[in-house]
Amino acid sequence: RLRVLFPLVPIFYAFLCLFILGAGDQGLFTSLYTSLAQQLPREPMEWRRTYGRAPKMIHLEANFVQFKEELLPKEGNKALLTFPFLHIYWTDCCDTETYKSSVKEDMMRWQNTLRSHSSADWVIIVVESNETKKKNKPNILPRSSIVDKIRSDFCNKQNDRCVVLSDPLKDSSRSLESWNALLLKLRTLLLMSFTKNLGRFEDDMRTLREKRTQPGWSFCEYFMVQEELAFVFEMLQQFEDALVQYDELDALFTQYVLNFGAGDTANWLGSFCAPVRNWSGLLLRRPIDMEKRDSIQRGEASLLDLRSYLFSRQCTLLIFLQRPWEVTQRALELLHNCVQELRLLEVSVIDGALDCWVFLSCLEVLHRIEGCCDPAQLAANCSHTVGLWAYATDKLKCLGELCGLVSKNGPTSEDLNRTVDLLAGLGDERPETGEFGLFLFYFFEPHFRFLHHLHMFLFLYFDFFSIGRLRSARLVGKSLAEFYMRKGDPVRAEPFMKEALKSYESEGWRLPVTHTRRQIAECQKLLGRTEDYLRTSALLAGDVNLSTEERKHFCQEILSFAGRSGNPSHKVSLCMNVFAQLTRLQFRPATASVHSGAVLQVELTLRCLMPVPVCIQQLAASIHFDVDHGGTHGRSKGATRQTNQGTIEFKPGTSSAGPNSSTTAGPTLEMDEIQDRSPSDNSLSSVGVVCKNTHLIIRRRENGSPPETPNCVSPPTVAMKEGGQMLKVQNVKLEPGNNSITFTAPPGTYTLRQLCATVGEVQFVLSPIYPSVRYEVYSQEPQLTVEPLSEPLLAGMPQLVKFTLLTGHYTVKKGDALQLSNTETMPILPSSSCTATLSIQSSEKVTSISLPPTLPYQVLEFQLEVLCIIPSGSERPANERLTNGEVRHRPHKDFRNKCYVHTMSIDCPWSIYSTLLALTFYIPFKTKHSLLSSGNRKYIQVCVQNVSDMNFTLTDMKLTEKQHSSLELQSLNTKTNQLLCSKHSVFCLWEVRWKDDLPSCLQCVFSANFCPLNQDASAFKPFHYQFQLERVTTLYSVRAEILPPPGEQHCRSGLVCGLEVCITRLTEPSEGEIAEDSKTDTDGLKNAKLMYEVADSSSNWAVCGKSSGMVLMPLKANATHKVQIEVMPLFAGHLPFPKIKVLKYLPHNAAAAIQPDPDSCVENDSLSLLDKTLDDQADTASIRSRGSIHSVGSSDQQQKGVAMPRLEPFSPGQVFNNSHSQQVLVLPTTDDHIMEVNAT
Amino acid sequence: MKCFNYPLYIRSVPSQNELKFHYTVHTSLDVVEEKVSAVGKSIGDQRELYLGLLYPTEDYKVYGYVTNSKVKFVIVVDSSNTSLRDNEIRSMFRKLHNSFTDVMCNPFYNPGDPIQSKAFNGIVSGMMVQTG
């Protein structure tokens, strides 16, 4: 590193001492004072101080001077430095005579002199030596020694004022001891005197200071007095105290200057207001600048002199105190302060003189600091010196400007005159300031000045960097760049400027950004960097911080470049944001989605930032085809479309840099509501809103990326992507402010990407638009849907069906028709409810619906009436299952499935393929049938249940048998027209009559006509229900009779009575039955095994003894079997008979012969209505609990598992129970004791 | 006058030399950062918000103040103005801070935006008039 180095000046330091005046024996004094002077400072003494100041250990040093009367201080003399603090009288007199004759007299005279000067600090030293003792031995009487005499003569109260020193020149222990005692005594007395005199001095000084408001008071005088004190402290090595004195003087003076500023003028201040003639700077090499001190003493010092002197003293003391860094800090304050004070006192100074003074002073201070610190220390404390360097550099810059050194043409004669004047004030006759003066002198020489300048700047630049003051460093760098620019070196200037600009941009300082950018523009222009220059110009042209003239200038720069005819293939692209901002994007229509025939317009609002209108040759928006949307069926896609309603506002900041800019917007606030409820009654005590992600938001602030103020962004240049599709507008004039430009969009699904404005050779390119904006111009295939007008469609009745046609891209021309292929089961009815615009022509196979001419992307709706004809008996619904026997008829619980699906085939004019459409019709009825018996007579009951929501009228209910013509079905229904309300049922009954034999199997068809209620007869539609009945014939009749107990007329409760069951075979066996049942019979007679059971489900009866049994029944008519069972009525009253069940008993080997329907026993719930109650009773728990009988179900289950004999129930029609629902009167027992009364 | 590291609000009277003040205030951020980091090391959260004189220049004195959320306030006064002592500056900062807090409490103020509050402007104007 280059630093201006100066020779190190050794510190000369005058050590000041306390003065001691010696009197008496001159020879003795001279022989001893050297050793005294040497030994006195060896031991420290504790110095107790007045005013509560802390005691200190100090070393006393003394000057021994021979007594002369003129050395004694005169009255009013304030000098402390030359003050005789102690008077010593030396004598080695040991004989009384001599003492009495001469010494005493001499002492007296000495004492009187002292007293006359009011000096009470004295001591008499008597030197004793063996030699003298020996010599005078005969004359001396040791009793009253000479010392005692002296003490009695002079020290009447202060015996310690006379000290004996024995054999000072001998090396004995006694002499050493007496030496030490003497030294201690001297120190004590000296310190005492010093303290006393110092106190007096301080008091005097204070008194003097208090007089400062009196007219004749002079600061310079006072200055000298207080400095005396400072000197004394300094001499005692009490630098802190010494510094305090100077600081007090400093503060006092400062206060006077401030008071002057406030209008309170002191007379003595006038001398400081003299014009400044010397600006040679501070002088810090000598501890005391006696020259300046003298001028102060004489009252001739200028303000700068006084300040310089004061600071040089402070500096000296601070360096003694090892506080060099305080020096730098104080120096900076001093320099600033001096400049202010001169201004305040209105001291006349020639231009640049202060700059010289400050500059030289800075260098002097720095030099002084460098002189007392090693380089490592200096480097570590760079932060303390950097301020001075900066100040010096600044001043040098000012000087350079002042004296025309930096102007291109060199200094003018006026500048030169000024330079001469300045040089005159440097006072270069003095050797100490010579170097800096010379330096400054050279500075004015043309060859040197750049070098010096440069070095100063560079040092400062690096210094600031090294202490982390980056902003300051960049400011210096910028100054350096300005300097380079003046020198005509833009190459070196540019990087410094760019760095500074980057810093200002990143921290969002608008004015510095503008200022620096303008400098850069100048630099770039000089360098011939066209693109960069244009880019910067564009930024500046749109910068509101510049004046309009400047903006116009830069705008013109761009336009004139654009107007130049150059190589047309190479165009300069610039970022559009600096030129114009996209503020709004609006789609018309707002959905941003139209079909290909319509016009979709995109309106852009561009805010032009240029100060003048600019003609754009072409404005192009590049668009990107979205493959994933395919451009065809995407009507409902485009997520952006729903949210923005066709208008997208771009915020000024965010439209700039594509998706990246979203990060600068930061996280959005996540707010939550908080409710504070009081714990006692849960009432709301406070409600608030809390931000959940404060940490993110706050942290963002700390890291501090600035909000994007318009001019603080240097947007990256974006290249226009080649090859994409473009929306173009030619020759647009952009006025300053908002402009609106409209594009028309081509078909397809596109995302808007970039904008590009071309002005001659210049292109302004906008980076990809974010958020991405998509529009859609689509094309759609025609679509035909057919759906029921009301759910569900009912079969058998005319129903309305809605046709919806989305025409899509297809234009329906006149004559276009839909061709519907007819099916027989579902004819299309010509109906008046159809839209009038349609004409429907039905032929045998095809129904043709001619459509009205319709434009594309329209919706065409019409209704047609269709009828689903319910197939007649022969055709059954697909999923209807036939079951054997009337009671086994299985109802369709999933009736909803009982439906007809019809498929329509439609030929459309736009397609060669047929459209297949399925319609589902549901039957509105659910039909059940059952067989009822009465003895041999048979009845058929049909139940029709309406499951639809409509009301119907039923007529012409008929039941026919298909196979047996001899059979007659006689209707027992009285009404021909039956109302069948929604969810209700209608029952119809027929009696079966036959002539010869009743066929065991009947094929029946139930038919009826129905129509919706309140419609005329023509609307009646037929309805068929087909079923089959098997095992119709009654085989057995069961008759039961209850016989009262013998001797009783009626049954009585609690008494056993007889139950006689009579089972009678009614018919001859049919062939099937013989084959089935009597295989095992060994005797010729055909027998059938029957099992009977007596069970009472309602706990009316108790069966006593056997409740069930097996009977062997001959297979012939009128064969009868009687069984006697004992039962006991449990209650009195008309009791129903116990239930008697007859079952088919199948031996185990016959089990395989017939596979009974597994449903037969389980599905008891489907028994005919009359039998049903009985069966239900059998199943109740009361019977089972008695254990008298196996339930049918369980025995059946068991027999299935193993090859056991098993029971099979008869079909309900096969056994007729005569005593079914018969009742018998039971009387209560006569001696009933218990009567149960239930009162509720 | 005050700032984050980017300025939220800058005001100077007279306004002719505004650019210079921008540079001055911007450069003073260096010292603010220096002081804040030096203080942060020694005592944790018990921080004195007032940073004192940041640095003197020949013509101006620059004072600094940093809130707990690191919002920086900088006041630049003319060096020749001797009536402004430390205490006055301190109370000015306190006033500014209070007013700034009010601005931040405004739910319509978006943190980080330049301050355009009339109340804040009024406070600043008042102080500037007062100091002359």
Side-chain angles (χ1 to χ4, degrees), chain A residues 294-351:
Chain A
D294 288 347
S295 70
I296 294 168
Q297 205 161 16
R298 288 197 303 273
E300 293 167 358
S302 70
L303 185 127
L304 285 186
D305 287 338
L306 178 75
R307 284 291 184 194
S308 301
Y309 178 73
L310 206 51
F311 185 74
S312 74
R313 295 295 301 136
Q314 288 168 324
C315 170
T316 306
L317 291 169
L318 283 170
I319 285 173
F320 277 133
L321 288 166
Q322 312 255 304
R323 279 145 60 177
W325 312 124
E326 206 177 320
V327 175
T328 58
Q329 190 202 327
R330 280 170 173 241
L332 207 54
E333 275 169 34
L334 169 87
L335 298 177
H336 290 148
N337 191 33
C338 281
V339 174
Q340 286 301 321
E341 283 184 345
L342 286 174
R343 225 173 267 172
L344 200 63
L345 294 177
E346 293 161 349
V347 175
S348 72
V349 184
I350 67 162
D351 278 348

Coordinates of all heavy atoms in Angstrom, one line a residue, chain A residues 294-351:
Chain A
D294 N 3.7 31.6 22.9 CA 4.1 33.0 23.1 C 3.1 33.9 22.5 O 2.7 34.9 23.2 CB 5.5 33.3 22.5 CG 6.6 32.6 23.3 OD1 6.3 32.2 24.4 OD2 7.7 32.5 22.7
S295 N 2.6 33.6 21.4 CA 1.6 34.5 20.7 C 0.3 34.5 21.6 O -0.3 35.6 21.6 CB 1.3 34.0 19.3 OG 0.6 32.9 19.3
I296 N 0.0 33.4 22.2 CA -1.2 33.4 23.0 C -0.9 34.3 24.2 O -1.8 35.1 24.6 CB -1.5 32.0 23.5 CG1 -2.0 31.1 22.3 CG2 -2.6 32.0 24.6 CD1 -2.0 29.7 22.6
Q297 N 0.3 34.1 24.8 CA 0.6 34.9 26.0 C 0.6 36.4 25.6 O 0.1 37.2 26.4 CB 2.0 34.5 26.4 CG 2.3 34.8 27.9 CD 3.5 34.0 28.4 OE1 4.3 33.5 27.6 NE2 3.6 33.9 29.7
R298 N 1.0 36.7 24.4 CA 1.0 38.1 24.0 C -0.4 38.6 23.6 O -0.6 39.8 23.4 CB 1.9 38.3 22.8 CG 3.4 38.2 23.2 CD 4.2 38.8 22.1 NE 4.0 38.2 20.8 CZ 4.6 37.1 20.4 NH1 5.5 36.5 21.1 NH2 4.4 36.7 19.2
G299 N -1.3 37.7 23.5 CA -2.7 38.0 23.1 C -2.8 38.3 21.6 O -3.6 39.0 21.2
E300 N -1.9 37.7 20.9 CA -1.9 38.0 19.4 C -2.3 36.8 18.6 O -2.3 36.8 17.4 CB -0.5 38.4 19.0 CG 0.0 39.7 19.5 CD 1.5 39.9 19.3 OE1 2.1 38.9 18.8 OE2 2.0 40.9 19.7
A301 N -2.7 35.7 19.4 CA -3.0 34.5 18.6 C -4.3 34.6 17.9 O -5.2 35.2 18.4 CB -3.0 33.3 19.6
S302 N -4.3 33.9 16.8 CA -5.6 33.8 16.0 C -6.3 32.6 16.6 O -5.8 31.8 17.4 CB -5.3 33.7 14.6 OG -4.8 32.4 14.3
L303 N -7.6 32.5 16.1 CA -8.4 31.4 16.6 C -7.7 30.0 16.2 O -7.6 29.1 17.0 CB -9.8 31.4 16.0 CG -10.7 30.4 16.5 CD1 -12.0 31.0 17.0 CD2 -11.0 29.3 15.4
L304 N -7.2 30.0 15.0 CA -6.6 28.7 14.6 C -5.4 28.5 15.4 O -5.1 27.3 15.7 CB -6.3 28.8 13.1 CG -7.4 28.6 12.1 CD1 -6.9 28.6 10.7 CD2 -8.2 27.4 12.4
D305 N -4.6 29.5 15.7 CA -3.4 29.3 16.6 C -3.8 28.7 17.9 O -3.2 27.8 18.4 CB -2.7 30.7 16.8 CG -2.0 31.2 15.5 OD1 -1.7 30.3 14.7 OD2 -1.8 32.4 15.4
L306 N -4.8 29.4 18.5 CA -5.2 28.9 19.8 C -5.6 27.4 19.8 O -5.2 26.6 20.5 CB -6.3 29.7 20.4 CG -6.8 29.3 21.7 CD1 -5.8 29.6 22.8 CD2 -8.2 29.8 22.0
R307 N -6.5 27.2 18.8 CA -7.0 25.8 18.6 C -5.9 24.8 18.4 O -5.8 23.7 18.9 CB -8.0 25.8 17.5 CG -9.4 26.4 17.9 CD -10.1 25.5 18.9 NE -11.4 26.0 19.2 CZ -12.1 25.5 20.3 NH1 -11.5 24.6 21.1 NH2 -13.3 26.0 20.6
S308 N -5.0 25.2 17.5 CA -3.9 24.3 17.2 C -3.1 24.1 18.4 O -2.7 22.9 18.6 CB -3.0 25.0 16.1 OG -3.7 25.3 15.0
Y309 N -2.7 25.1 19.1 CA -1.9 24.9 20.3 C -2.6 24.0 21.3 O -2.0 23.0 21.8 CB -1.6 26.2 20.9 CG -0.7 26.1 22.2 CD1 0.6 25.7 22.1 CD2 -1.3 26.3 23.4 CE1 1.4 25.5 23.2 CE2 -0.5 26.1 24.6 CZ 0.8 25.7 24.5 OH 1.5 25.5 25.6
L310 N -3.9 24.3 21.6 CA -4.6 23.6 22.5 C -4.7 22.1 22.1 O -4.4 21.2 22.9 CB -6.1 24.1 22.6 CG -6.9 23.9 23.8 CD1 -6.1 24.4 25.0 CD2 -8.2 24.7 23.7
F311 N -4.9 21.9 20.8 CA -5.0 20.5 20.4 C -3.7 19.8 20.5 O -3.6 18.6 20.8 CB -5.6 20.4 19.0 CG -5.8 19.0 18.5 CD1 -6.9 18.3 19.1 CD2 -4.9 18.4 17.7 CE1 -7.1 17.0 18.7 CE2 -5.1 17.0 17.3 CZ -6.2 16.4 17.8
S312 N -2.6 20.5 20.2 CA -1.3 19.9 20.2 C -1.0 19.4 21.6 O -0.4 18.4 21.8 CB -0.2 20.8 19.6 OG 0.1 21.8 20.6
R313 N -1.4 20.2 22.6 CA -1.2 19.8 24.0 C -2.0 18.6 24.3 O -1.6 17.7 24.9 CB -1.5 21.0 24.9 CG -0.6 22.2 24.8 CD 0.8 21.9 25.1 NE 0.9 21.4 26.5 CZ 1.7 20.4 26.9 NH1 2.4 19.8 26.0 NH2 1.7 20.0 28.1
Q314 N -3.3 18.7 23.9 CA -4.2 17.5 24.2 C -3.6 16.3 23.6 O -3.6 15.2 24.1 CB -5.6 17.9 23.7 CG -6.3 18.9 24.6 CD -7.6 19.4 23.9 OE1 -7.6 19.5 22.7 NE2 -8.6 19.7 24.7
C315 N -3.2 16.5 22.4 CA -2.7 15.3 21.6 C -1.5 14.7 22.3 O -1.4 13.5 22.5 CB -2.3 15.8 20.2 SG -1.4 14.6 19.2
T316 N -0.6 15.6 22.8 CA 0.6 15.1 23.5 C 0.2 14.3 24.7 O 0.7 13.2 24.9 CB 1.5 16.3 23.9 OG1 1.7 17.1 22.8 CG2 2.8 15.8 24.5
L317 N -0.7 14.8 25.5 CA -1.2 14.2 26.7 C -1.9 12.9 26.4 O -1.7 11.8 27.0 CB -2.1 15.1 27.5 CG -1.3 16.3 28.1 CD1 -2.3 17.3 28.7 CD2 -0.4 15.8 29.2
L318 N -2.7 12.9 25.3 CA -3.5 11.7 25.0 C -2.5 10.6 24.6 O -2.7 9.4 24.9 CB -4.5 11.9 23.9 CG -5.7 12.7 24.3 CD1 -6.5 13.1 23.1 CD2 -6.6 11.7 25.2
I319 N -1.4 11.0 23.9 CA -0.5 9.9 23.5 C 0.3 9.4 24.7 O 0.5 8.2 24.8 CB 0.4 10.5 22.4 CG1 -0.4 10.6 21.1 CG2 1.6 9.6 22.2 CD1 0.3 11.2 19.9
F320 N 0.6 10.3 25.6 CA 1.1 9.8 26.9 C 0.2 8.8 27.5 O 0.6 7.8 28.1 CB 1.4 10.9 27.9 CG 2.7 11.7 27.6 CD1 2.7 13.0 27.6 CD2 3.9 10.9 27.4 CE1 3.9 13.7 27.3 CE2 5.0 11.6 27.1 CZ 5.1 13.0 27.1
L321 N -1.1 9.1 27.4 CA -2.1 8.2 28.0 C -2.4 7.0 27.2 O -3.3 6.3 27.5 CB -3.4 9.0 28.3 CG -3.3 10.0 29.4 CD1 -4.5 11.0 29.3 CD2 -3.3 9.3 30.7
Q322 N -1.7 6.8 26.1 CA -1.9 5.7 25.2 C -3.3 5.7 24.6 O -3.9 4.6 24.5 CB -1.6 4.4 26.0 CG -0.3 4.4 26.8 CD 0.7 3.6 26.1 OE1 0.5 2.4 25.8 NE2 1.9 4.2 25.8
R323 N -3.8 6.8 24.3 CA -5.1 6.8 23.7 C -5.0 7.5 22.3 O -5.6 8.6 22.1 CB -6.1 7.6 24.6 CG -6.6 6.7 25.7 CD -6.8 7.5 27.0 NE -7.8 8.6 26.9 CZ -8.1 9.3 28.0 NH1 -7.6 9.1 29.2 NH2 -9.0 10.3 27.8
P324 N -4.3 6.9 21.4 CA -4.1 7.6 20.1 C -5.4 7.7 19.4 O -5.6 8.6 18.6 CB -3.1 6.7 19.4 CG -3.2 5.4 20.1 CD -3.6 5.6 21.5
W325 N -6.3 6.7 19.6 CA -7.6 6.7 18.8 C -8.5 7.9 19.2 O -9.3 8.3 18.4 CB -8.3 5.4 18.8 CG -7.3 4.3 18.6 CD1 -7.0 3.2 19.4 CD2 -6.4 4.2 17.5 NE1 -6.0 2.5 18.9 CE2 -5.6 3.0 17.7 CE3 -6.2 5.0 16.3 CZ2 -4.6 2.6 16.8 CZ3 -5.2 4.5 15.5 CH2 -4.4 3.4 15.7
E326 N -8.3 8.3 20.4 CA -9.1 9.4 20.9 C -8.6 10.7 20.2 O -9.3 11.6 19.9 CB -9.0 9.6 22.4 CG -10.2 10.3 23.0 CD -10.1 10.4 24.5 OE1 -9.7 9.4 25.1 OE2 -10.4 11.5 25.0
V327 N -7.3 10.7 19.9 CA -6.7 11.8 19.1 C -7.4 12.0 17.8 O -7.9 13.1 17.4 CB -5.2 11.6 18.9 CG1 -4.7 12.7 18.1 CG2 -4.5 11.6 20.2
T328 N -7.6 10.9 17.1 CA -8.2 11.0 15.8 C -9.6 11.5 15.9 O -10.1 12.3 15.1 CB -8.2 9.6 15.0 OG1 -8.9 8.7 15.9 CG2 -6.8 9.1 14.8
Q329 N -10.3 10.9 16.9 CA -11.7 11.3 17.0 C -11.8 12.8 17.4 O -12.6 13.5 16.8 CB -12.3 10.5 18.1 CG -13.8 10.6 18.2 CD -14.3 10.2 19.6 OE1 -13.7 9.2 20.2 NE2 -15.3 10.8 20.1
R330 N -11.0 13.2 18.3 CA -11.0 14.6 18.7 C -10.5 15.5 17.6 O -11.0 16.6 17.4 CB -10.1 14.8 19.9 CG -10.7 14.4 21.2 CD -9.6 14.5 22.3 NE -10.1 14.2 23.6 CZ -10.0 15.1 24.6 NH1 -9.4 16.3 24.4 NH2 -10.5 14.9 25.8
A331 N -9.6 15.0 16.8 CA -9.1 15.8 15.7 C -10.2 16.1 14.7 O -10.4 17.3 14.3 CB -8.0 15.1 15.0
L332 N -11.0 15.1 14.4 CA -12.1 15.3 13.5 C -13.1 16.3 14.0 O -13.5 17.2 13.3 CB -12.8 13.9 13.2 CG -13.5 13.8 11.9 CD1 -12.5 14.1 10.8 CD2 -14.0 12.3 11.8
E333 N -13.4 16.1 15.3 CA -14.3 17.1 16.0 C -13.7 18.5 15.9 O -14.4 19.5 15.6 CB -14.6 16.7 17.4 CG -15.7 15.6 17.6 CD -15.7 15.1 19.0 OE1 -15.4 15.8 19.9 OE2 -16.0 13.9 19.1
L334 N -12.4 18.6 16.2 CA -11.8 19.9 16.3 C -11.9 20.6 14.9 O -12.2 21.7 14.8 CB -10.3 19.7 16.7 CG -9.5 20.9 16.5 CD1 -9.5 21.8 17.7 CD2 -8.0 20.6 16.1
L335 N -11.5 19.8 13.9 CA -11.5 20.4 12.5 C -12.9 20.9 12.2 O -13.1 22.0 11.7 CB -11.0 19.4 11.5 CG -9.6 18.9 11.8 CD1 -9.1 17.8 10.8 CD2 -8.6 20.1 11.8
H336 N -13.9 20.0 12.4 CA -15.3 20.4 12.1 C -15.6 21.7 12.9 O -16.2 22.6 12.4 CB -16.3 19.3 12.5 CG -16.2 18.2 11.5 ND1 -16.4 16.9 12.0 CD2 -15.9 18.1 10.2 CE1 -16.3 16.1 11.0 NE2 -15.9 16.7 9.9
N337 N -15.3 21.6 14.2 CA -15.6 22.7 15.1 C -14.9 24.0 14.7 O -15.6 25.1 14.7 CB -15.2 22.3 16.5 CG -15.7 23.2 17.5 OD1 -16.8 23.7 17.3 ND2 -15.0 23.5 18.6
C338 N -13.7 23.9 14.3 CA -12.9 25.1 13.9 C -13.6 25.8 12.7 O -13.8 27.0 12.7 CB -11.5 24.8 13.6 SG -10.5 24.6 15.0
V339 N -14.0 25.0 11.8 CA -14.6 25.5 10.6 C -15.9 26.2 11.0 O -16.2 27.4 10.5 CB -14.9 24.4 9.5 CG1 -15.7 24.9 8.4 CG2 -13.6 23.8 9.1
Q340 N -16.6 25.6 11.9 CA -17.9 26.2 12.3 C -17.6 27.5 13.1 O -18.3 28.5 12.9 CB -18.6 25.2 13.2 CG -19.3 24.1 12.5 CD -20.3 24.6 11.5 OE1 -21.0 25.5 11.7 NE2 -20.3 23.9 10.3
E341 N -16.6 27.4 13.9 CA -16.3 28.6 14.8 C -15.9 29.8 13.9 O -16.3 30.9 14.2 CB -15.3 28.3 15.8 CG -15.8 27.5 16.9 CD -14.8 27.2 18.0 OE1 -13.6 27.4 17.8 OE2 -15.3 26.8 19.1
L342 N -15.1 29.5 12.9 CA -14.6 30.6 12.1 C -15.8 31.2 11.4 O -15.9 32.4 11.2 CB -13.6 30.1 11.1 CG -12.2 29.8 11.6 CD1 -11.3 29.2 10.6 CD2 -11.6 31.1 12.1
R343 N -16.7 30.3 11.0 CA -17.9 30.8 10.3 C -18.8 31.7 11.3 O -19.3 32.7 11.0 CB -18.7 29.6 9.9 CG -19.3 29.7 8.5 CD -19.9 28.5 8.0 NE -19.0 27.6 7.3 CZ -19.3 26.3 7.0 NH1 -20.4 25.8 7.3 NH2 -18.4 25.6 6.3
L344 N -18.8 31.2 12.5 CA -19.7 31.8 13.5 C -19.1 33.2 13.9 O -19.8 34.1 14.1 CB -19.7 30.9 14.8 CG -20.8 31.1 15.8 CD1 -22.2 30.9 15.1 CD2 -20.6 30.2 17.0
L345 N -17.8 33.2 14.0 CA -17.1 34.5 14.4 C -17.0 35.4 13.2 O -16.4 36.5 13.3 CB -15.8 34.2 15.0 CG -15.8 33.5 16.4 CD1 -14.4 33.2 16.8 CD2 -16.5 34.3 17.4
E346 N -17.4 34.9 12.0 CA -17.3 35.7 10.8 C -15.9 36.2 10.5 O -15.6 37.3 10.2 CB -18.3 36.9 10.8 CG -19.7 36.4 10.8 CD -20.7 37.4 11.3 OE1 -20.2 38.5 11.8 OE2 -21.9 37.2 11.1
V347 N -14.9 35.3 10.8 CA -13.5 35.6 10.5 C -13.4 35.5 9.0 O -13.8 34.5 8.4 CB -12.6 34.5 11.2 CG1 -11.2 34.8 10.8 CG2 -12.8 34.6 12.7
S348 N -12.7 36.5 8.5 CA -12.5 36.4 7.0 C -11.4 35.5 6.7 O -10.3 35.6 7.2 CB -12.2 37.8 6.5 OG -11.0 38.2 6.8
V349 N -11.6 34.6 5.7 CA -10.7 33.6 5.3 C -10.8 33.6 3.8 O -11.9 33.6 3.2 CB -11.1 32.2 5.9 CG1 -10.0 31.2 5.5 CG2 -11.2 32.3 7.4
I350 N -9.6 33.5 3.1 CA -9.7 33.4 1.7 C -10.2 32.0 1.3 O -10.0 31.0 2.1 CB -8.4 33.8 1.0 CG1 -7.3 32.7 1.3 CG2 -7.9 35.2 1.4 CD1 -6.2 32.8 0.3
D351 N -10.8 31.9 0.2 CA -11.4 30.6 -0.3 C -10.3 29.6 -0.3 O -9.2 29.8 -0.9 CB -12.0 30.8 -1.7 CG -13.4 31.4 -1.6 OD1 -13.9 31.4 -0.4 OD2 -13.9 31.8 -2.6

